[in-house]
Amino acid sequence: MLSDDIHGQLTMEFLILLGFSLIISIPLIISVADSNELNQAMAASRTGALDGSLSDGLAVYPGDAFKDYEVEHVRLVNPSCVKIIKIDYINQGLSPAYNKTKIQLRIHASAPQVTDKLDRNCLGDRINFYARKKICESFHTENLTNSLFNPAFSNNYVFTTADIRWM
């Protein structure tokens, strides 16, 4: 038996180390959970944007949009190549309206065959819609937003989308 152990020295050192470990671990766990939520939302937005670009590329639209496109955006009723280049975001700080951190998604895409600005806006609106929709589906917050999923919500964030940046 060690002489220090007689006076409880080893027990006190162990408790101090355990206390410091807890003090360091709890904030670390909280920050990892927050970054995990943001990563999950970004992955969902990427999947949604890819779904939107696929429907744009194949010219698959809901009936009312297709009828509108046949009249006003004839180029969009034919298949085209729409690619998602990257998705990044801007942290806009705490939103007082929702008491959550506001994140604005910026999606960069390419559609070389579609040169008309109004046609690109239609394509971009659909891509943004699917990105926001997928975030809501991922966090089961469809009931917290409107029919356009704008804004999209997670537990700690509120997401909006900027206009697509065409390359």
Side-chain angles (χ1 to χ4, degrees):
M1 190 179 282
L2 297 172
S3 63
D4 287 340
D5 193 33
I6 295 171
H7 302 294
Q9 184 70 30
L10 289 177
T11 306
M12 288 302 294
E13 290 172 355
F14 175 74
L15 289 175
I16 290 171
L17 284 174
L18 184 64
F20 280 127
S21 298
L22 285 174
I23 290 171
I24 292 172
S25 298
I26 290 172
L28 185 63
I29 290 170
I30 291 170
S31 75
V32 167
D34 283 347
S35 64
N36 185 42
E37 182 179 340
L38 187 54
N39 286 338
Q40 181 181 352
M42 292 302 292
S45 70
R46 177 114 181 126
T47 301
L50 290 172
D51 288 349
S53 69
L54 181 62
S55 73
D56 284 340
L58 296 175
V60 176
Y61 306 109
D64 56 340
F66 189 80
K67 288 176 185 176
D68 179 45
Y69 291 172
E70 281 184 314
V71 175
E72 296 183 27
H73 304 283
V74 179
R75 172 64 188 97
L76 299 183
V77 297
N78 297 307
S80 59
C81 179
V82 180
K83 294 180 184 178
I84 302 300
I85 307 299
K86 72 175 184 172
I87 300 176
D88 56 13
Y89 67 90
I90 299 171
N91 184 333
Q92 296 181 322
L94 185 68
S95 168
Y98 301 108
N99 200 27
K100 295 182 179 204
T101 302
K102 185 175 181 182
I103 303 289
Q104 183 181 52
L105 300 174
R106 295 183 307 178
I107 301 171
H108 304 259
S110 172
Q113 297 92 346
V114 181
T115 56
D116 184 68
K117 185 177 181 179
L118 294 175
D119 289 347
R120 283 187 171 191
N121 282 340
C122 290
L123 295 176
D125 288 346
R126 184 151 314 278
I127 292 169
N128 280 334
F129 167 79
Y130 278 101
R132 293 187 308 264
K133 180 181 178 190
K134 193 56 85 171
I135 291 171
C136 288
E137 289 173 353
S138 179
F139 291 98
H140 306 292
T141 57
E142 299 95 328
N143 60 332
L144 298 178
T145 187
N146 60 26
S147 62
L148 298 176
F149 302 99
N150 194 17
F153 296 97
S154 70
N155 299 329
N156 297 306
Y157 298 98
V158 57
F159 296 91
T160 60
T161 51
D163 287 341
I164 298 289
R165 295 183 181 206
W166 294 100
M167 307 204 158

